[in-house]
Amino acid sequence: NAGVTQTPKFRILKIGQSMTLQCAQDMNHNYMYWYRQDPGMGLKLIYYSVGAGITDKGEVPNGYNVSRSTTEDFPLRLELAAPSQTSVYFCASSYSPGLAGVVDTQYFGPGTRLTVL
Amino acid sequence: AQTVTQSQPEMSVQEAETVTLSCTYDTSENNYYLFWYKQPPSRQMILVIRQEAYKQQNATENRFSVNFQKAAKSFSLKISDSQLGDTAMYFCAFGSMGQGNLIFGKGTKLSVKP
């Protein structure tokens, strides 16, 4: 198993450009998440998905969009990039969010470091 | 809303010694999970240990153990026999039943010195 994979590892964008961060998992997890990590801070949730076709906003969704057409993939779209979106982005997945009485461990990808200039 | 506080931005420890990282949290829920994640310079987030709130017994994973004080809402991580490879950022995280995401603290940067 590759676990959670993310591409690219690094990217520099100009203000106003758009891009898609790719995330895939091969563990057949139903839940997937996008977090951002700003310098000196913990991770904050951008969007999450409970399964194919279902997504919901997290704490900091502005400036981002997501889609989930398959169980495996959960891309994050940045429209009109701004310097405030300079951050490290992590994708994660888990089997269960806790509805069955268990909060499953989240498994993280290696992250994408994005700089907007 | 739940919050997680890590009051030690940085700590250091000599190799082979023991160090304890602090974490406190705030919640009105009775059932939840707590996690410690390690983030080495590679940036990869790695699960260190997890604790279910309904279990009174403290979780242990090899050299890593927790001191879970539910009434005090405290969840500290003890690392015994510290190794150079333990140098990393350590994040405490709270997981709520029925809620998908984790709430993270700001992290503690641990340096293990030879």
Side-chain angles (χ1 to χ4, degrees):
Chain A
N1 282 357
V4 180
T5 58
Q6 291 182 239
T7 56
K9 285 188 170 58
F10 304 93
R11 184 71 185 268
I12 298 175
L13 283 182
K14 293 183 179 179
I15 294 172
Q17 287 185 322
S18 300
M19 76 164 293
T20 299
L21 281 65
Q22 301 292 343
C23 174
Q25 54 91 10
D26 62 359
M27 296 176 282
N28 202 31
H29 286 167
N30 49 345
Y31 269 60
M32 295 186 74
Y33 315 83
W34 275 106
Y35 293 90
R36 60 177 286 173
Q37 183 182 25
D38 298 328
M41 302 293 287
L43 280 66
K44 292 189 176 180
L45 184 70
I46 305 171
Y47 270 96
Y48 68 101
S49 169
V50 306
I54 306 171
T55 63
D56 206 351
K57 296 178 181 178
E59 184 182 356
V60 289
N62 291 344
Y64 307 94
N65 277 300
V66 294
S67 60
R68 182 105 180 263
S69 57
T70 67
T71 299
E72 294 78 20
D73 300 297
F74 189 40
L76 177 71
R77 178 83 177 161
L78 277 73
E79 305 282 0
L80 299 175
S84 61
Q85 294 178 304
T86 294
S87 190
V88 179
Y89 291 84
F90 288 96
C91 179
S93 71
S94 68
Y95 181 70
S96 165
L99 293 175
V102 174
V103 176
D104 202 13
T105 298
Q106 291 188 17
Y107 296 88
F108 286 80
T112 295
R113 181 179 292 279
L114 176 67
T115 302
V116 182
L117 300 174
Chain B
Q2 294 90 354
T3 58
V4 176
T5 302
Q6 293 180 249
S7 58
Q8 305 151 315
E10 293 192 41
M11 294 190 72
S12 65
V13 63
Q14 291 296 129
E15 195 175 8
E17 292 188 347
T18 296
V19 64
T20 299
L21 309 183
S22 301
C23 173
T24 58
Y25 59 94
D26 189 26
T27 183
S28 58
E29 299 181 15
N30 191 45
N31 292 321
Y32 48 87
Y33 285 66
L34 295 161
F35 302 82
W36 278 99
Y37 279 89
K38 169 185 177 181
Q39 187 180 44
S42 66
R43 286 204 320 257
Q44 180 75 51
M45 294 287 286
I46 303 164
L47 177 70
V48 175
I49 201 164
R50 57 180 275 160
Q51 173 79 42
E52 293 86 344
Y54 61 85
K55 288 187 178 178
Q56 293 186 345
Q57 185 174 6
N58 289 324
T60 299
E61 286 288 344
N62 300 315
R63 297 182 295 108
F64 299 88
S65 61
V66 298
N67 183 3
F68 173 50
Q69 302 288 331
K70 191 173 183 180
K73 295 179 182 175
S74 171
F75 183 60
S76 60
L77 175 70
K78 185 171 84 170
I79 306 174
S80 304
D81 186 25
S82 297
Q83 301 176 359
L84 296 177
D86 296 334
T87 292
M89 284 288 290
Y90 286 81
F91 291 96
C92 179
F94 175 97
S96 174
M97 300 288 227
Q99 183 175 324
N101 64 297
L102 298 177
I103 308 297
F104 285 85
K106 292 185 178 181
T108 295
K109 183 178 181 181
L110 177 67
S111 299
V112 180
K113 300 184 184 304

